[in-house]
Amino acid sequence: YSAQKLIGHSDKHHPRKSKFICRVCGFFNRRKNSLKTHMQQEHIQSATLFECDECSYNTKKKQSLHSHKRTAHGERNLSCNICGNNYATLASLYVHKKSH
C-alpha cells in the first residue's frame, strides 16, 4: 500500500484520527505529539542526533539513547540464579534464562 492510499482510507473511514497522519509517508498515531516527534525524527533533515558520551553510538530517538546507555554502559545488577551472569534489564535476563 502507498502512503496516499493509507491517507485516503484514513480520511474516509477514520476522519477523527486523520489529522494525526503523516502526509509524507502515512505514519498513523492517535496523539498529536507522536506525529510531531515522527516528523522531526523521520522527515526533517536537520533532526537532532542524540549521541552517547561513552562510545560512538548515535540515534534520532532520545529513548533509544537511554536504552543504549542502560544496556551498554549501565550497571548490570540483575543476576541469573542459575549461572550468575549479570544483566542490565529484566528483559535481557528473561531472554538469557530461556537458554538454560
Side-chain angles (χ1 to χ4, degrees):
Y1 291 94
S2 70
Q4 265 325 101
K5 285 185 179 181
L6 179 59
I7 291 166
H9 166 83
S10 182
D11 286 345
K12 182 176 180 182
H13 298 286
H14 311 283
R16 287 181 47 227
K17 298 175 185 174
S18 290
K19 60 185 173 183
F20 304 120
I21 290 182
C22 175
R23 300 291 169 170
V24 177
C25 71
F27 169 84
F28 179 90
N29 199 285
R30 290 188 172 122
R31 294 183 304 193
K32 183 178 181 178
N33 277 349
S34 294
L35 177 59
K36 181 179 176 183
T37 299
H38 164 80
M39 291 297 292
Q40 290 171 341
Q41 292 175 348
E42 301 299 328
H43 301 301
I44 297 174
Q45 290 285 339
S46 62
T48 302
L49 278 180
F50 296 94
E51 298 178 354
C52 179
D53 56 3
E54 297 183 50
C55 70
S56 61
Y57 177 83
N58 64 61
T59 180
K60 293 179 182 178
K61 299 179 181 179
K62 189 175 186 179
Q63 183 58 41
S64 295
L65 177 61
H66 289 303
S67 295
H68 161 78
K69 290 180 89 170
R70 186 177 64 249
T71 58
H73 308 297
E75 291 184 27
R76 297 176 180 265
N77 55 2
L78 300 171
S79 297
C80 175
N81 61 345
I82 299 168
C83 68
N85 284 354
N86 294 317
Y87 296 89
T89 66
L90 285 173
S92 298
L93 178 60
Y94 175 78
V95 169
H96 164 76
K97 282 188 167 187
K98 288 174 35 176
S99 70
H100 285 297

